Amino acid sequence: MINKIGQDFNNQAQRMIYNYIATYSPFYCVETSEVSIDQQKSAYEFLLNIYLKLYEDPTILGLQLLPDDSYTDWELQNNRPNLVTKMRSMLKKLDEFISTLHNVFLVGFIENDSFIINTEELHLKSTFIKQLNLLLITCEKNNSSYILTCSKDTLLGLKFLARISAENTLKPYFLFSRGIFNTASPFTIDLFRELLGDENAYNKLIQFFLTHDYRRIDNRENRISLDFVKNHSDKDTEVKSNWAERTHSGIEFGFEELRYNQLFIGLRVPYFADVLKAMDKADDKIRNYVVHQSKRCDNCGYCTQTDKTGTRPRQYVPVQYDGKMYYICPLFCGYQHRWRKLNDEIVNNIIMFLSFVDTVV
C-alpha cells in the first residue's frame, strides 16, 4: 500500500478506510506459550487483508462511493457540517464492523478448523454475516451457533489478540483493530517514521527525546498518537493535546483522518509567557525561531474579552530580535508551533527551542 498522506483518493470511502490502513501497526509479536509467532503473524495479516479488500471495494460495508473530499489544515468543521457528518458516518460503520469482529473472536471458541459462536452469547446481524462472506470469510448459522471457517493458526492468533485488546484499553477493540500484540514495542515510533517519510530528520528528533528524559505515551485517548512529554509541574498533571498544553514540554505526533494532510506534529510548550519573558537570555537563533513561528499580537481581543472596563492591557510579551520589537501572544502557542512534515531545519529548531525551555522552566 503506497503512502497516501496528503494525497487524493478515488472516493470518500477510500479516504476513511485508509485511516485504518495508514495507522495499522508494524508487526511485533509477544513471547508466549499460548500462541506461536507464526500464528500471531497469520492473524495480523488476516486483519490487514480485510482493510485492503475494503479499500478496493468499500461497497462491501455499504459505503457510498461519494467524491473524495476533506478539510484543509486549519478549516473548521462547522464550515462544512455536512462533510463531517458524511465522514463520521463512514467511520462509524467501519468501527461497528471491527468492533463486532472483535466480539466474535472474544466470545467464540475453536473446534477443529472452525470457530463457533453461540447465538446466546452474541447475536450477529445478517448484514455482518453477508459482509464476512463478501470478504471471503465463510460464516454460516445453524440453530444454536454461528460457524466461521478459517485457518486454525489464524483463529488461534485472532482469539489471543482479541483478549489482549479487551484487557489493555478503554476501547476494547482498539488494539485488535490495529493488529497490536506487543504494547511494549516501539510500534508507534515505527508507524510515524513510515508515514512521515524523512527518516533522518525523524530519527534525530526521536533520539533527542529518548536520551533527554522524555516519557513516551502511545495512543493517548484511544487514538493513534505518539507523545514524548516532560512534566514541569509539582503535580502529576494530565497530558492533553499539544494546543492545550500548560505544564509539559515535548511533542505530539497525531493523525487527523478528516483532513487532507492527515499527519500533524505539535510542540508542547509549558509556561509560554515565562519562556517569552526569558528571551533576553536566548541567542539569536532561538529568538529568530520564536518571532517567526509564534503568533504576533493582532489585537483579536481574546485575552481581554472578560474585561468590562476596557482598561485591561493586552497580554502580549515583547521580544526583541534583529533590531526590531515583536509582540508575541502567549496563549495557545501549540496552534502555531505545529507542522505537517519534518525536515532538518524544523527538527533542529525543535531541539534547540525545547533545550532552551528546559533551562527556563
Side-chain angles (χ1 to χ4, degrees), residues 46 53 60 130-139 149:
F46 174 88
K53 288 176 183 176
I60 291 174
K130 181 180 178 180
Q131 289 163 355
L132 288 181
N133 287 309
L134 288 172
L135 290 166
L136 304 181
I137 304 166
T138 303
C139 184
T149 304

Side-chain angles (χ1 to χ4, degrees), residues 55-160:
Y55 182 86
E56 291 302 318
D57 185 5
T59 62
I60 291 174
L61 285 189
L63 302 182
Q64 290 182 284
L65 303 183
L66 302 174
D68 183 30
D69 202 357
S70 56
Y71 291 93
T72 57
D73 289 355
W74 294 106
E75 184 179 1
L76 298 176
Q77 292 180 14
N78 61 14
N79 186 47
R80 290 187 287 164
N82 290 336
L83 176 57
V84 70
T85 299
K86 292 175 183 177
M87 298 171 94
R88 292 295 185 198
S89 175
M90 291 181 179
L91 287 174
K92 183 179 179 181
K93 286 187 176 182
L94 284 160
D95 282 345
E96 287 175 347
F97 174 81
I98 200 66
S99 175
T100 302
L101 193 64
H102 171 254
N103 284 332
V104 163
F105 291 107
L106 190 63
V107 305
F109 60 92
I110 298 171
E111 189 174 273
N112 298 321
D113 287 333
S114 296
F115 199 77
I116 313 299
I117 306 102
N118 290 329
T119 54
E120 293 181 355
E121 290 191 68
L122 182 65
H123 171 70
L124 298 180
K125 295 180 181 179
S126 58
T127 52
F128 177 78
I129 295 174
K130 181 180 178 180
Q131 289 163 355
L132 288 181
N133 287 309
L134 288 172
L135 290 166
L136 304 181
I137 304 166
T138 303
C139 184
E140 300 173 340
K141 181 184 179 184
N142 59 28
N143 292 333
S144 61
S145 62
Y146 306 96
I147 304 171
L148 194 152
T149 304
C150 189
S151 159
K152 187 172 183 179
D153 282 346
T154 303
L155 292 172
L156 286 167
L158 290 168
K159 179 72 177 173
F160 180 69

Side-chain angles (χ1 to χ4, degrees), residues 17-31:
I17 295 168
Y18 179 69
N19 168 46
Y20 280 89
I21 297 172
T23 60
Y24 198 72
S25 171
F27 178 66
Y28 281 98
C29 65
V30 291
E31 295 292 338

Side-chain angles (χ1 to χ4, degrees), residues 143-188:
N143 292 333
S144 61
S145 62
Y146 306 96
I147 304 171
L148 194 152
T149 304
C150 189
S151 159
K152 187 172 183 179
D153 282 346
T154 303
L155 292 172
L156 286 167
L158 290 168
K159 179 72 177 173
F160 180 69
L161 178 59
R163 196 186 79 233
I164 288 177
S165 186
E167 292 174 351
N168 280 276
T169 57
L170 295 175
K171 185 188 287 185
Y173 63 91
F174 179 76
L175 297 181
F176 181 85
S177 71
R178 281 7 186 246
I180 301 170
F181 285 90
N182 189 344
T183 57
S185 67
F187 64 95
T188 52

Side-chain angles (χ1 to χ4, degrees), residues 263-277:
L263 283 182
F264 75 87
I265 306 104
L267 204 61
R268 295 183 176 279
V269 187
Y271 310 108
F272 189 48
D274 293 336
V275 173
L276 292 174
K277 292 172 184 176

